[in-house]
Amino acid sequence: MLLSVRDLRIDFQVSRNERLSAVNGVSFDVPERTTLALVGESGSGKSVTALSILGLLPKPVAQVASESRILWNDQNILGFDAPRLRALRGKEIGIIFQEPMSSLNPVFSIGTQLMEGLRLHMGLSRRQAQRRALDLLAEVGIPDPGRRLDDYPHQLSGGQQQRVMIAMAISCQPRLLIADEPTTALDVTIQRQILDLIADLQQRHAMAVLFITHDLALVGEIATQVVVMKQGEVREAGSLRQVFDAPRDAYTRALLACRPPLGVRPQRLRVIEDFMGDGQGTATPGVRSRGVSPGDEIVLEVRNLDKDFLIRDGLWHKRPFHAVKGASLRLARGKTVGIVGESGSGKTTLGLTIAGLLGADGGQILFSGLDLRQPGSVDTMALKRRIQIVFQNPYASLNPRFTVGDILTEPLMLHGIGRNAADRSAMARELLGRVGLPRDALQRYPHEFSGGQRQRIAIARCLTVKPEILICDESVSALDVSVQAQVLNLLQDLQDEFQMSYLFISHDLAVVHYMSDQVLVMHDGVVVESGDADEVYAHPQHPYTRRLLLAIPKGV
């Protein structure tokens, strides 16, 4: 057995008198040349388990129980001293971290970071390490590796940064590769490329892979064995086919069912609570009808919208970059238009321009018959009330110095809503209840909430001014599938209640199909295909749309 984890128990000392149990009695085996998937939601302990294998847990905050064992070639890693751990990391066990931009050093070139491990572990000269670094960049599919060797991380796209991380992880030909959420928040096509790359490298280098993820659909693409974790404990373990076809644990069944299906559109998505109670998730939800009728009121029409940016081209010159070129759409009241495409396709720029956060360079934006690009056509403050936006990252979009009460009452004060402070506080409490949060959360700060709860707070902030249009910009892309299902259900409920119209921007095609009445597909700033969501998904006309649909993880 290559790696054996036995009765792993890890506590964190969160204060002088309080300890938090992060991992509680976890055991599993990783045989040579196999792929084991460690699956669970945020806080399940899967990443802590992976970090403990490499001795990367912060000491003395993290405390591993004395009876725990992590056996590498029958030797307990937990007993290794610092030199032996350094020899193990990178050379025998490589790791791909979740966020490459945070893991790559921004002040060192790609080549320098690749060569460091090669010279340290393999004893290569600078010239030999440089040649090996070029070979590695070519092996992971980086175009023009000779030029990229001198680039810095910020000069690469997210997918290219992740490829560099993979190159670093396999540079010394490790026997085990740990991939910690390596595709989270990546485009569906880039995600597919990364999965295929890991599988190909595993075959060529005869590696074992420990693949950590919260998405069981991905697991079906790559794993042979599966371990499901919840709150630091193993809830289920077995072969891929056994876990997918006959899951024994209710939590596993919940994870499998939370993802929006492509075939049908249920009235509501299943959530964890549906399976952990007495019903065990057996109730069959109704089907939600979709589509736009000829008689539906059009609240927003965009005609031939252009948006350009000036980007530096050399030391003294700048050139225009056409981010959005001739985009058009029609949004009906109470309906959803989904906008899909890879990073750089222009979908977020289109949303920000419609919201008035960026100025357009051509075309028309007609809102309730008024052209928003005509000076004086609409009051700016009134427009902000009627069009709101939920950003991708709830950690960055909420002011960390404001309580939740401050966050919700600030827009009420700015727009003159409510008679006094007590009236506005009552409105804020009501909004918290509407988005499924306890009303006593008003006095707490954003850092005290999970990612899904923060996104609910961001949605509640938008609801304070009762908008007619809500722009959701990748608002569920980084959430666990179960939390994602809760937020999508919330958005559906709010649309049903308030007849809001949504522009739903995402690179996740399964989520867009579930939410949307109509779909726009964007590529290089151009709308290459649009129409009824079911029709576009069932009969895609453009090759780019077909490529996106083929890249959706299908599971087993």
Side-chain angles (χ1 to χ4, degrees):
M1 191 62 62
L2 185 64
L3 177 73
S4 294
V5 176
R6 291 288 177 267
D7 196 24
L8 183 63
R9 299 176 187 274
I10 303 171
D11 293 340
F12 282 84
Q13 195 77 37
V14 295
S15 66
R16 178 174 294 182
N17 300 316
E18 184 182 0
R19 295 174 69 177
L20 173 67
S21 177
V23 177
N24 186 17
V26 167
S27 299
F28 59 84
D29 295 320
V30 183
E32 293 203 33
R33 304 187 183 189
T34 62
T35 300
L36 182 138
L38 207 56
V39 187
E41 298 174 281
S42 297
S44 64
K46 56 189 188 299
S47 291
V48 173
T49 299
L51 292 175
S52 69
I53 295 171
L54 288 171
L56 294 175
L57 293 175
K59 295 179 180 180
V61 177
Q63 301 171 357
V64 182
S66 58
E67 66 271 18
S68 300
R69 297 287 184 271
I70 300 177
L71 302 176
W72 176 258
N73 292 331
D74 297 326
Q75 294 182 312
N76 188 12
I77 293 175
L78 297 175
F80 284 12
D81 57 17
R84 292 184 72 188
L85 278 174
R86 282 196 298 270
L88 181 73
R89 299 175 191 142
K91 186 173 183 181
E92 295 190 67
I93 303 178
I95 185 166
I96 309 166
F97 292 103
Q98 177 175 349
E99 178 46 65
M101 196 58 199
S102 301
S103 306
L104 295 171
N105 193 320
V107 302
F108 288 128
S109 69
I110 296 302
T112 300
Q113 297 183 64
L114 268 171
M115 291 160 58
E116 181 183 21
L118 292 167
R119 299 191 69 182
L120 176 66
H121 293 297
M122 308 291 286
L124 302 183
S125 67
R126 180 175 179 80
R127 186 179 296 275
Q128 290 172 327
Q130 189 175 45
R131 284 200 299 266
R132 174 65 178 150
L134 282 170
D135 292 340
L136 285 166
L137 290 181
E139 187 174 11
V140 298
I142 296 290
D144 196 4
R147 182 174 63 86
R148 289 299 192 183
L149 207 61
D150 295 323
D151 282 352
Y152 289 83
H154 72 273
Q155 295 176 274
L156 277 64
S157 68
Q160 289 173 332
Q161 290 171 8
Q162 197 62 289
R163 287 173 182 270
V164 171
M165 280 295 303
I166 294 172
M168 294 173 64
I170 67 165
S171 60
C172 299
Q173 299 183 339
R175 299 172 63 193
L176 173 66
L177 178 65
I178 299 174
D180 187 7
E181 301 272 12
T183 62
T184 296
L186 291 180
D187 298 328
V188 65
T189 51
I190 306 300
Q191 176 180 267
R192 167 61 59 189
Q193 293 171 17
I194 296 298
L195 291 176
D196 290 344
L197 175 61
I198 291 174
D200 180 54
L201 292 171
Q202 179 184 23
Q203 292 298 318
R204 279 193 276 153
H205 294 277
M207 296 184 298
V209 175
L210 178 59
F211 192 89
I212 299 169
T213 183
H214 63 259
D215 191 346
L216 274 168
L218 291 182
V219 172
E221 303 282 330
I222 196 169
T224 52
Q225 299 288 320
V226 180
V227 173
V228 180
M229 291 183 65
K230 179 175 170 37
Q231 296 179 343
E233 298 180 348
V234 173
R235 298 297 295 260
E236 186 159 0
S239 68
L240 176 70
R241 183 59 64 182
Q242 173 190 323
V243 171
F244 270 71
D245 290 352
R248 296 184 298 271
D249 192 84
Y251 180 66
T252 309
R253 292 194 292 272
L255 287 180
L256 287 166
C258 284
R259 182 114 176 115
L262 277 175
V264 296
R265 294 199 236 192
Q267 187 72 23
R268 297 182 65 79
L269 292 172
R270 303 287 180 83
V271 296
I272 297 293
E273 289 72 18
D274 294 334
F275 289 79
M276 305 307 288
D278 297 333
Q280 296 295 301
T282 55
T284 302
V287 176
R288 182 177 289 272
S289 61
R290 294 290 187 188
V292 177
S293 303
D296 288 335
E297 177 191 357
I298 302 299
V299 294
L300 175 73
E301 184 172 3
V302 177
R303 298 175 182 171
N304 301 314
L305 190 70
D306 295 326
K307 176 58 187 174
D308 299 336
F309 294 100
L310 287 177
I311 61 175
R312 189 170 297 281
D313 186 14
L315 186 61
W316 305 108
H317 300 284
K318 293 183 178 180
R319 61 180 175 84
F321 170 70
H322 305 295
V324 177
K325 295 172 279 190
S328 299
L329 65 87
R330 287 162 57 88
L331 177 62
R333 185 173 301 281
K335 302 294 183 178
T336 301
V337 170
I339 306 176
V340 299
E342 297 171 288
S343 296
S345 63
K347 56 187 188 297
T348 293
T349 301
L350 176 60
L352 294 176
T353 306
I354 292 171
L357 298 178
L358 293 173
D361 294 302
Q364 292 179 295
I365 304 174
L366 303 176
F367 179 44
S368 297
L370 300 173
D371 189 348
L372 302 185
R373 296 200 61 226
Q374 292 297 323
S377 63
V378 66
D379 178 57
T380 303
M381 287 297 287
L383 178 65
K384 289 178 180 178
R385 283 190 61 172
R386 300 175 70 186
I387 302 178
Q388 288 282 302
I389 185 166
V390 182
F391 294 99
Q392 175 176 357
N393 187 354
Y395 295 85
S397 61
L398 299 177
N399 191 326
R401 298 181 180 222
F402 278 18
T403 65
V404 172
D406 295 333
I407 290 169
L408 297 184
T409 56
E410 182 187 39
L412 294 173
M413 288 189 293
L414 289 174
H415 292 280
I417 301 172
R419 295 185 301 272
N420 49 44
D423 195 17
R424 287 189 284 269
S425 292
M427 292 181 185
R429 280 193 294 272
E430 182 184 353
L431 282 169
L432 283 179
R434 204 174 282 277
V435 299
L437 289 175
R439 299 188 179 191
D440 60 5
L442 283 179
Q443 305 307 316
R444 295 161 64 187
Y445 288 86
H447 73 269
E448 300 179 63
F449 296 89
S450 68
Q453 289 172 323
R454 293 188 204 197
Q455 202 61 290
R456 289 170 180 264
I457 294 169
I459 293 170
R461 178 177 59 183
C462 293
L463 294 179
T464 57
V465 293
K466 299 181 180 178
E468 296 174 46
I469 295 175
L470 191 61
I471 301 173
C472 300
D473 184 16
E474 300 277 12
S475 53
V476 297
S477 64
L479 301 178
D480 293 329
V481 287
S482 59
V483 179
Q484 181 186 88
Q486 295 172 11
V487 173
L488 294 178
N489 284 339
L490 170 63
L491 290 172
Q492 295 281 19
D493 292 342
L494 294 173
Q495 188 173 53
D496 292 342
E497 182 175 356
F498 297 111
Q499 280 296 290
M500 283 191 297
S501 303
Y502 293 154
L503 280 180
F504 195 88
I505 300 168
S506 180
H507 63 257
D508 190 327
L509 277 79
V511 169
V512 169
H513 180 253
Y514 172 72
M515 288 292 295
S516 303
D517 298 282
Q518 294 182 307
V519 169
L520 266 68
V521 182
M522 294 192 68
H523 180 53
D524 290 339
V526 178
V527 176
V528 297
E529 187 162 357
S530 64
D532 178 83
D534 287 334
E535 181 63 25
V536 169
Y537 276 68
H539 306 289
Q541 301 300 307
H542 197 276
Y544 178 72
T545 310
R546 291 195 288 269
R547 182 158 63 89
L548 288 178
L549 292 171
L550 286 173
I552 299 175
K554 304 297 192 302
V556 176

